[in-house]
Amino acid sequence: MALVNENYLKLPGSYLFSEIAKRVEAFKTANPEAEIIRLGIGDVTKPLVPTVVKAMHDAVDEMSVAASFRGYGPEQGYRFLIDQIIENDFRPRGVELEFDEVFVSDGSKSDCGNIGDILGIDNTVAVMDPVYPVYIDTNVMAGRAGSLNEMGYWNNLVYIPCTAENNFVPSLPDKRVDVIYLCFPNNPTGTTLTKDQLKQWVDYALDNQAIILFDAAYEAFITEEDVPHSIYEIEGAKECAIEFRSFSKTAGFTGTRCAYTVVPKQLMAYTAEGAPVSLNKLWNRRQCTKFNGVPYVIQRAAEAVYSEEGKRQVKEVVAYYLENAKLIREGLKEQGLSVVGGVNSPYIWLKTPEGMSSWDFFDFMLTKLNIVGTPGSGFGPSGEGYFRLTAFGTRENCLAAIERIKGAKF
Ligand code: MLT
């Protein structure tokens, strides 16, 4: 008799964004004439920039000729891309990395989930609340989360509120934890930490031999000074942090798939007997066994993001989304809504009006205004009473959404 991984049976019905898609589809089927504006999942709408497209075409041509055809590539990624990553994303910020500390992958979502493979099952894991659901769901799957109580909390996870009450600056945990997920700029709230605030987490991790899993997928949207782009800008972080970066939101690769994860060689975790083990070695071992690398064509496309033209074109796209974010943020504020995010992030986090629950507000927005957003409670109990909009729509749709909201009676 084949047994299932019963941890999966503990997971709530479906993944947040699948649930939303299902509800929107049902509404669309019942109301085919409705002009739905989708500002729910953080998926980009602008096409790949010309420099990236050209690099992809060129790479396809290379693959069509025996002399330049490539089969399996290095599981860790091609050196031509890794060198550009180090040279452009880290060196200018004073961070030196070796090429074998960077692992190219098919997405930060996969890496944030897969990283659990190399971490012990008995680690106590801390997450922000609200939080990107992948961190929690993958720990449930692995058996680290325990069981879900009626308040919506997993009893083995440590929740750290990141709410209006603490001005979206999470406090250090009041009990010892081993693994900490941090996402800054934050998904879903769109808020950030300053260097000093992030340093407190690095210091905590160093003091407690804990590991920070730092998700920096939205780094390209940082506009303000004093907001760290990489956790390695903080002294000591190489001894306690893994960083996840993605081309998805930076360069429109949500459908193309390319990301990378940095696992410094200094970073150790421990056996039950207390012997240090290099996580870089373990992650390399894991990737070589379970992953065969990102397609050559895609890595050439990602490399083009770092060319002079590529950088300029990608920056323009990010600026376009940031302008959307500003329009949404200001439009909501004019309606008297309480809003954070959208300054260093493509996400705008708003308090639902009239004390509506997140899902009631979702239904109101969908059925009355034909706008799709994401209910805050889908990101955790502290997200209740909040709602997330993304700035990744077209300008036209963002403006139309604001017009609809302006005319709304909540
Ligand atoms: C989101 O909407 O939170 C993101 O699109 C999810 C993701 O990047 O996987």
Side-chain angles (χ1 to χ4, degrees), residues 2-294:
L3 303 176
V4 294
N5 175 351
E6 291 193 25
N7 293 319
Y8 277 67
L9 307 182
K10 298 179 183 172
L11 289 164
S14 54
Y15 180 59
L16 174 62
F17 294 106
S18 320
E19 176 63 28
I20 291 169
K22 216 162 62 192
R23 291 192 188 208
V24 174
E25 259 339 283
F27 178 76
K28 182 82 189 147
T29 308
N31 304 275
E33 74 298 338
E35 288 188 19
I36 296 178
I37 298 178
R38 293 169 198 267
L39 303 178
I41 190 164
D43 194 6
V44 295
T45 51
K46 282 261 188 208
L48 295 170
V49 299
T51 302
V52 165
V53 174
K54 166 135 190 357
M56 272 172 111
H57 278 297
D58 290 349
V60 169
D61 288 343
E62 277 183 69
M63 294 294 266
S64 69
V65 179
S68 50
F69 170 77
R70 315 250 184 154
Y72 291 129
E75 293 91 347
Q76 304 82 354
Y78 283 102
R79 189 72 194 260
F80 62 74
L81 176 55
I82 292 174
D83 286 346
Q84 290 298 327
I85 287 170
I86 293 172
E87 185 64 37
N88 290 281
D89 289 348
F90 294 95
R91 191 156 295 147
R93 301 194 182 282
V95 178
E96 286 301 324
L97 293 174
E98 291 175 40
F99 79 93
D100 48 0
E101 295 181 302
V102 177
F103 296 83
V104 176
S105 78
D106 66 343
S108 283
K109 178 177 170 177
S110 340
D111 283 358
C112 286
N114 292 334
I115 200 76
D117 279 14
I118 62 167
L119 299 172
I121 228 62
D122 295 327
N123 282 312
T124 302
V125 175
V127 292
M128 304 293 114
D129 180 25
V131 69
Y132 179 43
V134 170
Y135 312 149
I136 292 194
D137 286 5
T138 54
N139 276 290
V140 174
M141 291 169 178
R144 262 185 226 103
S147 50
L148 187 62
N149 70 22
E150 65 287 351
M151 304 291 291
Y153 293 103
W154 294 90
N155 68 337
N156 286 352
L157 298 182
V158 173
Y159 288 82
I160 299 170
C162 183
T163 58
E165 284 66 43
N166 56 22
N167 211 13
F168 300 95
V169 179
S171 308
L172 295 172
D174 51 16
K175 61 181 276 199
R176 201 183 173 289
V177 300
D178 307 301
V179 176
I180 303 157
Y181 287 85
L182 292 181
C183 174
F184 287 100
N186 187 255
N187 180 13
T189 63
T191 56
T192 50
L193 295 185
T194 63
K195 281 191 185 152
D196 283 346
Q197 288 162 346
L198 185 56
K199 182 174 182 308
Q200 292 180 23
W201 287 90
V202 170
D203 291 346
Y204 173 92
L206 292 171
D207 289 346
N208 291 279
Q209 294 181 311
I211 286 171
I212 297 174
L213 301 175
F214 191 74
D215 184 351
Y218 301 95
E219 168 276 335
F221 294 84
I222 295 172
T223 59
E224 293 183 321
E225 289 294 315
D226 201 34
V227 177
H229 289 246
S230 164
I231 195 165
Y232 305 119
E233 290 173 49
I234 313 295
E235 205 186 326
K238 280 190 185 172
E239 275 107 73
C240 66
I242 292 176
E243 180 163 306
F244 304 93
R245 292 272 192 113
S246 173
F247 293 93
S248 284
K249 321 287 158 111
T250 309
F253 276 53
T254 52
T256 309
R257 311 306 305 154
C258 196
Y260 65 87
T261 289
V262 180
V263 189
K265 291 188 192 161
Q266 295 97 310
L267 180 62
M268 298 292 150
Y270 299 85
T271 64
E273 287 74 41
V277 178
S278 156
L279 285 181
N280 176 285
K281 280 203 180 120
L282 290 196
W283 184 244
N284 187 47
R285 185 71 176 83
R286 190 259 172 219
Q287 291 298 83
C288 290
T289 305
K290 293 197 180 182
F291 185 60
N292 251 340
V294 173

